[in-house]
């Protein structure tokens, strides 16, 4: 009961911080965008590139704040068609900063995997949760392997919901050789953790379970002493034959002229910098 009350209190706190920080980011990105337009008008390219880097960092911060909102309010994601290899290649640099330099971080991305329907921010959260858990289990030593590939699965059993897993999936796997899991049957239980006091809440894998299953996916877990552990996130593939929309859809074809708009825009906010 105390743990539940503590997590609820943290959720309220995180929601308040996220709201105020969003206001700061809104004014920051707005001023950067306006400055970029002025620089483009006078042909100052180098400073414009610097501001573009600032804008990218601000957008990454906005995504992190969105994770706080998901946690504090239980918001469901907004799934879109995502090409995993392209998206995760951009996220890896941020992920590396959370891992110790003593850990050998390896990537193996299969080319031309199908797209999947997932909220990009929640996808980042899934990978972050799995890698941080792997980092803690390895105590910062050894090799961690993250791979993405297309997989035809038959006869698998989901480790979190115990349902049968069959079909065409895009597999996101995090493997840690030599590290075996204890209490595999309980790792997805909320608040369950084998870490010491103050080192974990036990919410990482339960959050991962919720996100993956909201997307219609499953999680396979393999763990043996001496061989190691692998978490395989199986997300349903969007096949071209099904008429699914891919991230590249709509880019080709005849260019569409921009609409000419006129009128007034009313903006209401209690923060002067946002206005």
């Amino acid at each position: 009961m105390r743990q539940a009350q503590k997590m609820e209190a943290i959720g309220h706190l995180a929601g308040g911080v996220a709201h105020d920080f969003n206001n700061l980011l809104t004014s920051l990105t707005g001023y950067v965008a306006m400055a970029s337009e002025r620089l483009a008008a006078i042909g100052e390219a180098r400073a414009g590139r610097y501001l573009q880097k600032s804008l990218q960092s601000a957008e990454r911060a906005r995504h992190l704040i969105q994770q706080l909102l998901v946690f504090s309010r239980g918001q469901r994601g907004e799934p879109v068609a995502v090409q995993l290899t392209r998206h995760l290649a951009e996220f890896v640099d941020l992920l590396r900063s959370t891992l110790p330099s003593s850990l050998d971080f390896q990537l193996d991305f299969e080319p031309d995997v199908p797209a999947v329907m997932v909220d990009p921010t929640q996808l980042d959260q899934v990978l972050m949760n799995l890698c941080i858990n792997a980092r803690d289990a390895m105590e910062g030593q050894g090799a961690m392997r993250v791979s993405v590939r297309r997989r035809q699965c038959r006869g698998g059993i989901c480790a979190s919901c115990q349902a049968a897993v069959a079909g065409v999936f895009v597999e996101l796997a995090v493997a840690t050789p030599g590290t075996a899991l204890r209490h595999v049957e309980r790792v997805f239980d909320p608040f369950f953790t084998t870490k010491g006091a103050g080192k974990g809440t036990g919410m990482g894998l339960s959050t991962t379970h919720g996100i993956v299953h909201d997307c219609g996916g499953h999680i396979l877990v393999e763990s043996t002493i001496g061989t190691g552990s692998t978490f395989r996130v199986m997300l349903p593939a969007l096949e071209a034959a099904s008429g699914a929309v891919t991230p590249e859809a709509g880019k080709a074809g005849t260019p569409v002229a921009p609409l000419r708009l006129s009128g007034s825009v009313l903006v209401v906010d209690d923060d002067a910098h946002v206005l």
Side-chain angles (χ1 to χ4, degrees), residues 247-259:
E248 293 76 22
K251 291 186 179 179
T254 305
V256 179
L259 295 176

Side-chain angles (χ1 to χ4, degrees), residues 176-215:
T176 53
T179 304
L181 291 172
R182 294 176 293 165
H183 312 291
V184 176
E185 71 283 356
R186 296 194 60 195
V187 294
F188 294 101
D189 291 353
F191 306 114
F192 175 78
T193 179
T194 58
K195 300 175 185 177
K199 295 184 178 180
T201 63
M203 288 295 293
L205 289 179
S206 60
T207 301
T208 297
H209 158 88
I211 293 173
V212 171
H213 284 75
D214 276 348
C215 300

Side-chain angles (χ1 to χ4, degrees), residues 15-61:
V17 170
H19 174 75
D20 291 341
F21 198 67
N22 250 341
N23 280 345
L24 296 175
L25 286 175
T26 298
S27 61
L28 173 64
T29 55
Y31 281 120
V32 168
M34 289 191 290
S36 298
E37 291 174 359
R38 293 292 296 271
L39 290 173
I42 64 174
E44 176 53 67
R46 178 176 293 181
R49 289 196 297 270
Y50 294 159
L51 286 178
Q52 188 60 33
K53 294 293 185 182
S54 299
L55 193 59
Q56 290 173 0
S57 296
E59 289 300 323
R60 180 65 68 184

Side-chain angles (χ1 to χ4, degrees), residues 40-109:
I42 64 174
E44 176 53 67
R46 178 176 293 181
R49 289 196 297 270
Y50 294 159
L51 286 178
Q52 188 60 33
K53 294 293 185 182
S54 299
L55 193 59
Q56 290 173 0
S57 296
E59 289 300 323
R60 180 65 68 184
R62 189 186 299 279
H63 291 160
L64 294 175
I65 289 300
Q66 185 62 32
Q67 292 185 28
L68 278 180
L69 290 172
V70 169
F71 167 71
S72 64
R73 300 177 186 172
Q75 292 181 341
R76 294 178 65 87
E78 297 180 4
V80 296
V82 174
Q83 217 288 333
L84 253 63
T85 54
R86 185 178 300 116
H87 177 82
L88 294 180
E90 298 173 357
F91 180 67
V92 160
D93 288 340
L94 175 65
L95 181 60
R96 286 184 191 274
S97 66
T98 68
L99 302 174
S101 58
S102 57
L103 194 150
D104 182 13
F105 186 64
Q106 303 172 356
L107 299 176
D108 181 15
F109 290 175

